[in-house]
Amino acid sequence: MRLLLVEDTEDVAEAIVASFARRGDAVDHVTTVEAAAETICVQEYDVVILDIMLPDGSGTDVLKALRSARKQTPVLVLTARADVGDLVAALDGGADDYVVKPFHLREIHARVRALARRAGSERAGIVEFGDLVFDPAGRSLDIGGSPVSLTRREFSLLEIMLANRGRVIPKERIFDRMFSFNEEEVGINTVEIHVARLRRKLEGSRVQIRTLRGLGYQLVAEH
């Protein structure tokens, strides 16, 4: 997933970014209302994780900017117990869910995955395609009943391709979902490397990754 985290508390932000990065998700982190508004103008996200109390205003201002731009991106609000009034305003303004501080990172992960599923076509956590059984929450892949180990980047790539299975996905879109703004040293051709590695993991299965030159990649399953 590609996530936006709007949080000005440094240790909280670092913990959230690191935990999602270990899963293979890309997280862009900003600390102010102004920076968040600028970022959502140029980048699409699967979920926004939004703190209410920010140095230059309220997280509800970010929410207003998002909804004013007619973006239905799911928003998970982070709130302190004392921020009930602001929380109500955020929910009334279009926030989708909330977590009260202090929180457990596993709860953040579960709520973000639920929001992403709700926004997309996947309603169930486990995805079955061909002879693949993919569990995003459990971070596991079985092929024909046998477990297959994936790196975090391979996991992220397969998650993207399964969410778009059967459709042609441009290389640029895959890159956009896999890497955040702060990974400036990563070039778009890195996608080809990860596709080649994932292909090797899928060898012998009924599922394959097709390359359509000039168009992108397509995940298909043989009958």
Side-chain angles (χ1 to χ4, degrees):
M1 291 182 289
R2 183 78 179 261
L3 310 174
L4 174 64
L5 172 63
V6 188
E7 170 62 71
D8 67 312
T9 305
E10 186 176 348
D11 57 344
V12 172
E14 288 179 353
I16 293 174
V17 171
S19 67
F20 278 100
R22 283 193 293 272
R23 280 179 38 88
D25 298 316
V27 184
D28 293 324
H29 171 225
V30 296
T31 59
T32 64
V33 171
E34 182 181 6
E38 291 174 352
T39 304
I40 61 178
C41 285
V42 299
Q43 179 63 50
E44 296 290 334
Y45 292 98
D46 295 297
V47 177
V48 174
I49 304 172
L50 177 63
D51 188 21
I52 286 184
M53 302 298 291
L54 296 168
D56 59 340
S58 170
T60 55
D61 297 327
V62 177
L63 188 57
K64 288 176 185 175
L66 193 66
R67 299 305 183 227
S68 295
R70 297 185 178 181
K71 295 187 177 184
Q72 298 305 310
T73 310
V75 175
L76 174 67
V77 167
L78 306 180
T79 178
R81 293 186 186 276
D83 299 333
V84 176
D86 286 334
L87 173 59
V88 171
L91 292 172
D92 286 344
D96 299 273
D97 198 0
Y98 71 93
V99 173
V100 176
K101 297 179 180 179
F103 49 77
H104 197 289
L105 288 171
R106 289 175 60 189
E107 181 181 6
I108 294 285
H109 286 189
R111 291 185 182 274
V112 165
R113 287 195 303 269
L115 289 177
R117 287 199 305 271
R118 196 181 307 164
S121 60
E122 290 298 339
R123 301 295 176 179
I126 296 177
V127 181
E128 298 185 19
F129 185 59
D131 54 353
L132 305 188
V133 178
F134 181 73
D135 181 1
R139 294 185 56 77
S140 66
L141 170 67
D142 284 0
I143 298 180
S146 299
V148 175
S149 176
L150 299 177
T151 67
R152 65 186 183 95
R153 292 298 191 195
E154 291 164 356
F155 181 91
S156 177
L157 175 58
L158 182 57
E159 189 169 29
I160 293 165
M161 302 205 77
L162 282 170
N164 296 276
R165 53 193 180 276
R167 296 192 289 268
V168 179
I169 320 170
K171 185 195 300 185
E172 293 78 11
R173 177 166 172 75
I174 294 174
F175 180 81
D176 186 59
R177 309 319 286 177
M178 287 182 68
F179 300 100
S180 61
F181 286 133
N182 63 2
E183 297 177 281
E184 297 176 354
E185 74 283 357
V186 179
I188 193 168
N189 289 335
T190 305
V191 172
E192 296 178 11
I193 297 172
H194 292 296
V195 167
R197 291 173 177 169
L198 181 58
R199 269 201 184 107
R200 288 196 289 271
K201 297 288 180 74
L202 299 180
E203 285 179 359
S205 76
R206 288 165 42 208
V207 176
Q208 60 176 300
I209 303 172
R210 291 178 179 170
T211 300
L212 291 85
R213 293 195 178 279
L215 296 175
Y217 300 100
Q218 183 184 34
L219 191 71
V220 296
E222 300 173 354
H223 297 292

